[in-house]
Amino acid sequence: MTVTAGPRKTTAWAIPAYRYLLGSEAVTLAGSGVSAVALPALAVLELRATAGQVATLAFLGQLPSTLALWAGAMSDRHAKRFQLLISDLVAAAALTTIPAAALAGVLTTGQLYGVALAVGAAKVVRDAAAISLLPTVVAPHLLHDANSRLGAASSVADSAGSNVGAALVGAVGAARSLLVDAASFLASACLVWRIRAPEPHAPRVGAVKQRGLIRDIAAGVRYVIGQPTIRTVIAALAVLSFGLALMNTFWAYYLLTALGVSPTAFGVIMGAGGMGSLAGALLTSRITDRFGVGPVIITGFVVSPLAQVPLLLAGPGRGWQIVLAAALAVQLFWATAAGVSQRTLSWGVSDLSQATSLLPVDGVRLALR
């Protein structure tokens, strides 16, 4: 008697190109976690940056997010893998200039401004290309699984990066710690180089170029406006992003100065937030199965501003540091669950190429942070 085995359940992890893409995303986020601790410590504690200079640094880091629509349109015009490679190399080169200048004794806040602007622009282009590449790597029915795995891996990497960053700042100094972030982008470039996946839009590049970039963006905006679900989610994210951007501008400055938090404790607080994000990524499927995608997204929007309340009441001391770490963990738990849900929802209700290109990538990440 012959026994026929049932079909094996396919997962996104079974696809080599997806594993390289996931690894690329994880390693860059781990490096960015190091920079999230090292850069504020460098500006505030070593260069003695004022509140205005910290605000300028944060503003310039987020300014390239205004190019998200342009980056999305460009991701349809050129090979996404090529854009990932160039973005990684640009970010690595820019970050390397900081420890080099510090070693030479010529580092200034002006240079930090330039690096923040360059790295921010590279990340916007990179994120747009990565999000647009994912649907070409995995089948549509695997997108939710792929997003959940990306969320979990990213959360682990972010948490690990924050804690490693705290240890490195104490061991080798803030400026040298940024070399780890630069190395993470180089490692990402190596992983991206190994991705072998067809890009369906590549043959249409010539035709796309003839239409004009501005015209493409305008058509995409009209498309999104015509999609009630995507339009509502993006509008909500934009409002939340604006509010959280105001808070995030002075988050590190306030903790490192007014509350007297050490770089090590700052890294641990951010690492706790990363663990909350990991839990959110791992439990998203269960939560959405029980409560639905809509309630999960709404809860994420509600919890994010409420989680800032402890910061308004906090004072110096270990106890308040624990409270802030717990609040950040709760915030990122629901933010990650909402983020995975909204991205999968957007892909499910619209054409993949248009939806992934038009999502405000950097703005979404800022909202989830």
Side-chain angles (χ1 to χ4, degrees), residues 155-168:
S155 300
V156 171
D158 190 32
S159 177
S162 297
N163 287 296
V164 169
L168 285 173

PDB file of all heavy atoms in Angstrom, residues 155-168:
ATOM      1  N   SER A 155      12.212  43.481  15.725  1.00  0.00           N
ATOM      2  CA  SER A 155      12.103  43.832  17.144  1.00  0.00           C
ATOM      3  C   SER A 155      13.281  43.279  17.937  1.00  0.00           C
ATOM      4  O   SER A 155      13.839  43.958  18.806  1.00  0.00           O
ATOM      5  CB  SER A 155      10.787  43.297  17.717  1.00  0.00           C
ATOM      6  OG  SER A 155       9.683  43.843  17.041  1.00  0.00           O
ATOM      7  N   VAL A 156      13.650  42.028  17.652  1.00  0.00           N
ATOM      8  CA  VAL A 156      14.812  41.435  18.322  1.00  0.00           C
ATOM      9  C   VAL A 156      16.064  42.238  17.998  1.00  0.00           C
ATOM     10  O   VAL A 156      16.871  42.568  18.887  1.00  0.00           O
ATOM     11  CB  VAL A 156      14.999  39.966  17.899  1.00  0.00           C
ATOM     12  CG1 VAL A 156      16.324  39.427  18.423  1.00  0.00           C
ATOM     13  CG2 VAL A 156      13.856  39.116  18.424  1.00  0.00           C
ATOM     14  N   ALA A 157      16.228  42.580  16.720  1.00  0.00           N
ATOM     15  CA  ALA A 157      17.415  43.320  16.296  1.00  0.00           C
ATOM     16  C   ALA A 157      17.459  44.708  16.930  1.00  0.00           C
ATOM     17  O   ALA A 157      18.508  45.160  17.394  1.00  0.00           O
ATOM     18  CB  ALA A 157      17.428  43.440  14.777  1.00  0.00           C
ATOM     19  N   ASP A 158      16.317  45.377  16.958  1.00  0.00           N
ATOM     20  CA  ASP A 158      16.261  46.718  17.527  1.00  0.00           C
ATOM     21  C   ASP A 158      16.585  46.696  19.014  1.00  0.00           C
ATOM     22  O   ASP A 158      17.351  47.524  19.522  1.00  0.00           O
ATOM     23  CB  ASP A 158      14.871  47.309  17.297  1.00  0.00           C
ATOM     24  CG  ASP A 158      14.809  48.788  17.644  1.00  0.00           C
ATOM     25  OD1 ASP A 158      15.823  49.481  17.466  1.00  0.00           O
ATOM     26  OD2 ASP A 158      13.748  49.238  18.105  1.00  0.00           O
ATOM     27  N   SER A 159      15.988  45.736  19.722  1.00  0.00           N
ATOM     28  CA  SER A 159      16.241  45.610  21.157  1.00  0.00           C
ATOM     29  C   SER A 159      17.709  45.277  21.419  1.00  0.00           C
ATOM     30  O   SER A 159      18.359  45.882  22.287  1.00  0.00           O
ATOM     31  CB  SER A 159      15.342  44.528  21.753  1.00  0.00           C
ATOM     32  OG  SER A 159      15.613  44.347  23.120  1.00  0.00           O
ATOM     33  N   ALA A 160      18.228  44.314  20.667  1.00  0.00           N
ATOM     34  CA  ALA A 160      19.634  43.936  20.845  1.00  0.00           C
ATOM     35  C   ALA A 160      20.558  45.102  20.523  1.00  0.00           C
ATOM     36  O   ALA A 160      21.550  45.353  21.227  1.00  0.00           O
ATOM     37  CB  ALA A 160      19.966  42.740  19.960  1.00  0.00           C
ATOM     38  N   GLY A 161      20.241  45.839  19.462  1.00  0.00           N
ATOM     39  CA  GLY A 161      21.066  46.975  19.080  1.00  0.00           C
ATOM     40  C   GLY A 161      21.108  48.054  20.143  1.00  0.00           C
ATOM     41  O   GLY A 161      22.165  48.623  20.425  1.00  0.00           O
ATOM     42  N   SER A 162      19.945  48.321  20.768  1.00  0.00           N
ATOM     43  CA  SER A 162      19.900  49.339  21.814  1.00  0.00           C
ATOM     44  C   SER A 162      20.764  48.943  23.006  1.00  0.00           C
ATOM     45  O   SER A 162      21.505  49.759  23.552  1.00  0.00           O
ATOM     46  CB  SER A 162      18.448  49.565  22.265  1.00  0.00           C
ATOM     47  OG  SER A 162      17.664  50.055  21.205  1.00  0.00           O
ATOM     48  N   ASN A 163      20.666  47.679  23.410  1.00  0.00           N
ATOM     49  CA  ASN A 163      21.451  47.220  24.552  1.00  0.00           C
ATOM     50  C   ASN A 163      22.944  47.150  24.232  1.00  0.00           C
ATOM     51  O   ASN A 163      23.787  47.504  25.067  1.00  0.00           O
ATOM     52  CB  ASN A 163      20.943  45.858  25.023  1.00  0.00           C
ATOM     53  CG  ASN A 163      19.603  45.958  25.742  1.00  0.00           C
ATOM     54  OD1 ASN A 163      19.492  46.569  26.794  1.00  0.00           O
ATOM     55  ND2 ASN A 163      18.575  45.378  25.164  1.00  0.00           N
ATOM     56  N   VAL A 164      23.264  46.702  23.018  1.00  0.00           N
ATOM     57  CA  VAL A 164      24.664  46.681  22.595  1.00  0.00           C
ATOM     58  C   VAL A 164      25.201  48.108  22.510  1.00  0.00           C
ATOM     59  O   VAL A 164      26.344  48.386  22.900  1.00  0.00           O
ATOM     60  CB  VAL A 164      24.818  45.958  21.244  1.00  0.00           C
ATOM     61  CG1 VAL A 164      26.222  46.167  20.682  1.00  0.00           C
ATOM     62  CG2 VAL A 164      24.535  44.472  21.410  1.00  0.00           C
ATOM     63  N   GLY A 165      24.358  49.013  22.001  1.00  0.00           N
ATOM     64  CA  GLY A 165      24.772  50.409  21.914  1.00  0.00           C
ATOM     65  C   GLY A 165      25.097  50.996  23.279  1.00  0.00           C
ATOM     66  O   GLY A 165      26.077  51.724  23.432  1.00  0.00           O
ATOM     67  N   ALA A 166      24.268  50.667  24.278  1.00  0.00           N
ATOM     68  CA  ALA A 166      24.523  51.160  25.633  1.00  0.00           C
ATOM     69  C   ALA A 166      25.859  50.643  26.154  1.00  0.00           C
ATOM     70  O   ALA A 166      26.632  51.394  26.765  1.00  0.00           O
ATOM     71  CB  ALA A 166      23.390  50.719  26.559  1.00  0.00           C
ATOM     72  N   ALA A 167      26.143  49.369  25.904  1.00  0.00           N
ATOM     73  CA  ALA A 167      27.412  48.789  26.366  1.00  0.00           C
ATOM     74  C   ALA A 167      28.589  49.387  25.617  1.00  0.00           C
ATOM     75  O   ALA A 167      29.639  49.690  26.218  1.00  0.00           O
ATOM     76  CB  ALA A 167      27.387  47.271  26.185  1.00  0.00           C
ATOM     77  N   LEU A 168      28.445  49.594  24.313  1.00  0.00           N
ATOM     78  CA  LEU A 168      29.541  50.130  23.511  1.00  0.00           C
ATOM     79  C   LEU A 168      29.866  51.569  23.875  1.00  0.00           C
ATOM     80  O   LEU A 168      31.044  51.960  23.912  1.00  0.00           O
ATOM     81  CB  LEU A 168      29.198  50.037  22.025  1.00  0.00           C
ATOM     82  CG  LEU A 168      29.293  48.646  21.392  1.00  0.00           C
ATOM     83  CD1 LEU A 168      28.751  48.680  19.974  1.00  0.00           C
ATOM     84  CD2 LEU A 168      30.733  48.162  21.397  1.00  0.00           C
TER      85      LEU A 168
END
